[in-house]
Amino acid sequence: MPELPEVETVTADLRPHLVGREITGCDLRFPAIVRHPSPAAFAAGVTGRRIEAMSRRGKYILHHLDSGELLVVHLGMTGQWRYVAPGTEEPTHLHAVFQLDDGFQLRYRDVRRFGRLLLGTDEELVAGRKMPRLGPEPIDASFTAADFYRRLHVRRAPLKALLLDQMVVAGVGNIYADEALFRAQVHPLRPAGRLTRAHWGALVPAIVDTLAAGIAANGASIDDFRDLDGARGSFQDEFLVHRHEGDPCPRCGGTVRKLVVGGRGTYVCERCQPRPRRPRGIVR
Ligand SMILES: [Zn+2]
């Protein structure tokens, strides 16, 4: 699933091509990919509008239209958002085609169809629960260890579950959570309320460094992620523990294990990331 670095890569690649372009037509081949408003209102609402800016929020790509609304793209598991030259052969699973005033097309393709397209103002989409009220952007200067501690140190949930919660921090998914927890030497099952001072000091830099490394590698290419030119990102070659079950830990030489945390495959070195003991007073 594309996470913050993959979505950042797509957004940065598309921005120079799309800012200033007018959308002159919208052909919805699979209208259910539009989750808000109705497909007909969506098509009418984007047609004739100019893209004034592009940004990323969490795992969402935002196109700021001259109407004041946002055209929002979430890539789900396998979504692809491409800018293609006129006459380019159409792939299978093409769900939406936007005609642009330079003759190029914007195409949304999604084999597994977990992605979505939205149109509306920020407030409307959040109030209507079409988008979550996202937590801070981890690569912003406002994301600090002090703020993270203040919000999370009373929580009892396992830290990995909190990192995956888009309201806690925006854009972190399964890959980057595992990699950041390994770097910070925190076990994914450790409740936030039982982190040590050293853990708190290590965690935010680990998240930021992991995401920065992912962005520098143009994201990770698992689940078919490709950048604008169809090239694969290369961060999967730099994974320290994620998808390395049975391999030696790059830090201590111990064995990387795979656990399931909250239904997600989770990779850990339990020598570097000691499993939390049960709190005292609980007898089973
Ligand atoms: Zn280790």
Side-chain angles (χ1 to χ4, degrees), residues 182 249-254 269-273:
F182 174 73
C249 165
R251 186 171 165 275
C252 75
C269 170
E270 292 195 310
R271 249 199 247 169
C272 293
Q273 300 161 270

Side-chain angles (χ1 to χ4, degrees), residues 249-263:
C249 165
R251 186 171 165 275
C252 75
T255 303
V256 174
R257 307 228 173 270
K258 182 178 182 182
L259 317 173
V260 176
V261 177

Side-chain angles (χ1 to χ4, degrees), residues 38-117:
S38 70
F42 175 92
V46 298
T47 302
R49 292 304 174 185
R50 193 169 297 281
I51 299 171
E52 292 189 325
M54 272 186 81
S55 58
R56 178 196 54 73
R57 191 71 178 92
K59 302 176 193 172
Y60 293 82
I61 306 170
L62 310 181
H63 307 70
H64 302 250
L65 304 181
D66 62 0
S67 59
E69 291 188 309
L70 299 170
L71 164 59
V72 180
V73 177
H74 189 288
L75 300 172
M77 297 283 286
T78 56
Q80 296 175 344
W81 186 224
R82 293 274 180 77
Y83 172 78
V84 297
T88 305
E89 192 179 339
E90 292 197 355
T92 55
H93 305 288
L94 191 56
H95 300 326
V97 178
F98 299 76
Q99 203 64 48
L100 300 173
D101 63 351
D102 60 357
F104 278 58
Q105 290 181 342
L106 257 177
R107 292 178 176 175
Y108 186 78
R109 174 175 192 262
D110 191 350
V111 174
R112 295 184 64 183
R113 303 201 292 215
F114 285 111
R116 69 201 84 129
L117 305 179

Side-chain angles (χ1 to χ4, degrees), residues 29 67 79 118 242:
R29 312 277 177 85
S67 59
L118 307 165
H242 190 76

Side-chain angles (χ1 to χ4, degrees), residues 182-199:
F182 174 73
R183 286 181 187 230
Q185 298 180 45
V186 179
H187 196 283
L189 287 172
R190 184 173 286 273
R194 297 187 58 218
L195 261 61
T196 64
R197 186 181 291 264
H199 287 145

